[in-house]
Amino acid sequence: MGILVCMTPRADSLTVEVVDLIGTVVARYYEEYEHAAAEHSLTGAQARVLRLLSLEPLPMRKIAECLKCEPSNVTGIVDRLESRGLVERRPDPADRRVKLAAPTDDGARTAEALRTSLHFAREPLGRLTVAERTLLKELLQRMLGVAPE
């Protein structure tokens, strides 16, 4: 009798190299984001919450889902942002029992300043042509299953 061996297909070397490069890009992005946050006296987590809220006001539960963390962590982060006048809590117009976290005007300005201060986005991506950046964007969208704009 033969032995049936069930093996997971090994990733080819090109795929491994691409995954390693993606990991390096992610690490550099987070390093730059932490630095930009510190320039605004924020932690990286506070900056990420502020950036997320600059897109739309959200309930704590949804912020936690987006950031893949515990809602209790988000509550503490929002508390600290609120104490600095960057975020406010307001009732959800669709369900007044739910509170939404939303940026104040100062919070929205800070989120925009954070976004534009990321050297990572300007320098390495700036070395690519518009066509290359467009292709990269489309490829990343396909990888993530996001419909192209």
Side-chain angles (χ1 to χ4, degrees), residues 4-71:
L4 179 62
V5 178
C6 182
M7 296 181 67
T8 304
R10 294 176 52 97
D12 62 273
S13 61
L14 177 59
T15 299
V16 170
E17 188 175 352
V18 169
V19 168
D20 287 345
L21 288 168
I22 290 170
T24 301
V25 167
V26 169
R28 283 189 189 173
Y29 173 82
Y30 276 111
E31 181 182 316
E32 183 69 30
Y33 208 87
E34 292 288 332
H35 180 73
E39 288 180 357
H40 294 275
S41 301
L42 297 169
T43 65
Q46 290 170 338
R48 285 187 289 282
V49 168
L50 192 57
R51 175 69 185 132
L52 187 60
L53 294 177
S54 73
L55 303 174
E56 67 176 314
L58 295 169
M60 304 297 167
R61 173 189 45 78
K62 184 67 174 170
I63 298 168
E65 285 174 19
C66 291
L67 298 180
K68 312 243 184 300
C69 68
E70 292 296 317

Side-chain angles (χ1 to χ4, degrees), residues 82-146:
E82 189 175 36
S83 72
R84 292 201 36 205
L86 299 173
V87 168
E88 63 186 7
R89 288 177 169 93
R90 58 174 81 140
D92 184 341
D95 182 351
R96 297 191 65 77
R97 296 169 297 174
V98 175
K99 293 283 188 197
L100 299 178
T104 61
D105 289 341
D106 193 27
R109 282 190 297 274
T110 302
E112 181 61 19
L114 273 165
R115 192 176 70 77
T116 59
S117 70
L118 292 175
H119 301 291
F120 177 78
R122 287 196 309 265
E123 293 170 8
L125 288 176
R127 293 185 207 128
L128 302 178
T129 66
V130 171
E132 289 169 332
R133 287 193 307 268
T134 301
L135 178 59
L136 178 59
K137 175 184 153 188
E138 290 168 355
L139 292 171
L140 291 170
Q141 287 173 326
R142 279 183 47 201
M143 282 179 62
L144 296 171
V146 174

